[in-house]
Amino acid sequence: MPIDIIMPALSPTMEAGTLAKWLVDVGDAVEPGDIIAEVETDKATMEVEATEQGVVSRLLVPSGTDDVHVGAVIATLVGEDEAALPAPSPAGQSIGPAATTGGKCASREHLSPAVRRLVASNNLDAAAIIGTGKNGRLTKADVLDTLSATVGKSAGTQDETAAGGGSMDASSLARRIAAAKNIDLNTVEGSGPEGRIILADLLARPATAFLAPVPAAASAAIRASEGDGGVPAVAEKLSSMRRTIARRLTESKQNAPHFYLRIDVRLDALLRQRAELNAAIEGKAKLSVNDLLIKALARALIEVPDANVQFAGDELLRFSRADISVAVAVPGGLVTPVLRSADTRSLSDLSNRMKSLVEKARAGKLQSADQQGGTASLSNLGMYGVREMLPVINPPQGLILGIGAGEPRAVVDSGGQLVAATIASITASFDHRAIDGAVGAEFLSAFRGFVERPLALLG
């Protein structure tokens, strides 16, 4: 009996997405966990995993199709005994006689995507490998065992590629960025699981590595506009993420009456506390300034509960914990993974969880659960030298905190002396339907108190 594969909801606000690319073909055997497609959601470009075992019988939605609604059937699987299906698919693909043998799945022709990649990248003959999977199917372990036996001690050759060190084993996001930036993945050393190339490996390269020639079509468009005196421009189709950012933030500015409060915060005590904590945990992951600011935001929301609210039509939602959405820049836009219960986490736990969420975000691996909820947001542009900002509220939240750069400024101390101090300008954007000015001011005062007396963050 055919098994439907539907467009999944990959983020809490996703209503539809772009089926960017199929990573399987009709006739491929897939198992639960195999990556079968890339989908552009309202948050990021994400990989879709198979949840059932079977053989791809039809691809109902072609690659590159926009606005595929959540729940729509995008492909079908059949069992191995049902693999010979004559019906054509709307995508122009169906299982035909070449992919079947007497109505049975041809186990050497129907390989999972992971196995097919290993076989192709190592120039192996799949038919010569003994399969240990169901009905003699070839598994990834079978290919790796074969490589180990045949390559043996030949370091730096096929076994490295099988482990993911070669260009054939890279995340889909890394492949797209490499293609866009004209980077040869054979020159990149992977730092992901089993040596897989991930986005961080590309970002670690020097800036000159990302210089790419302008595509011919783009050059033609630029030349045409220059020729008639116009401003050089190339039209670029908006990604699903970019469209959603545009829609949601426009709605935010149109519907939520923003008001802004700014406060200057002295960072010296926080920076000293961070240095002492990092010295005490030598050899382990270091705390960042952002980790401490997230904790200060969370504690301030609990101390001033009237700020930990959201407007919901005829209701005001009040929260008993602080789940902080943190803005993370990714290629083509930004995402806001949620750090849950940030008010009660230890600083080390908070830091480790935040690092994990950032890595997942930049690798396009965030799941729906990683982005759901959030009682308030934090956006930190201080590392870029931005002195202050007016952030846009992330609906339906009631506030977002914008962090500016810490910089030396002259201040008057408690003894009336002019001294140098590290000061950051912090701007909060509030939804006036839920939070009034006095509450906003009380919240910012509480936040400054936690930053300037950071020992309170250790409890």
Short mmCIF file of all heavy atoms in Angstrom, two decimals, residues 76 140 237 314:
data_model
loop_
_atom_site.label_atom_id
_atom_site.label_comp_id
_atom_site.label_asym_id
_atom_site.label_seq_id
_atom_site.Cartn_x
_atom_site.Cartn_y
_atom_site.Cartn_z
N THR A 76 5.29 9.68 -2.82
CA THR A 76 4.77 8.44 -2.26
C THR A 76 5.86 7.38 -2.24
O THR A 76 6.76 7.37 -3.08
CB THR A 76 3.56 7.90 -3.07
OG1 THR A 76 3.97 7.69 -4.42
CG2 THR A 76 2.39 8.86 -3.03
N LYS A 140 24.85 1.37 4.73
CA LYS A 140 26.03 2.20 4.85
C LYS A 140 27.16 1.43 5.51
O LYS A 140 28.33 1.54 5.12
CB LYS A 140 25.71 3.46 5.65
CG LYS A 140 26.86 4.46 5.74
CD LYS A 140 26.43 5.73 6.46
CE LYS A 140 27.58 6.73 6.55
NZ LYS A 140 27.17 7.97 7.25
N LYS A 237 15.18 36.45 -6.97
CA LYS A 237 13.94 35.97 -6.38
C LYS A 237 14.10 35.81 -4.87
O LYS A 237 15.11 35.28 -4.38
CB LYS A 237 13.57 34.61 -7.00
CG LYS A 237 12.25 34.04 -6.47
CD LYS A 237 11.95 32.70 -7.12
CE LYS A 237 10.67 32.11 -6.58
NZ LYS A 237 10.39 30.78 -7.19
N ASP A 314 -8.24 39.93 22.98
CA ASP A 314 -8.98 40.30 24.19
C ASP A 314 -8.32 39.78 25.46
O ASP A 314 -8.89 39.90 26.54
CB ASP A 314 -10.42 39.74 24.11
CG ASP A 314 -11.22 40.38 22.99
OD1 ASP A 314 -10.92 41.55 22.66
OD2 ASP A 314 -12.13 39.72 22.45
#
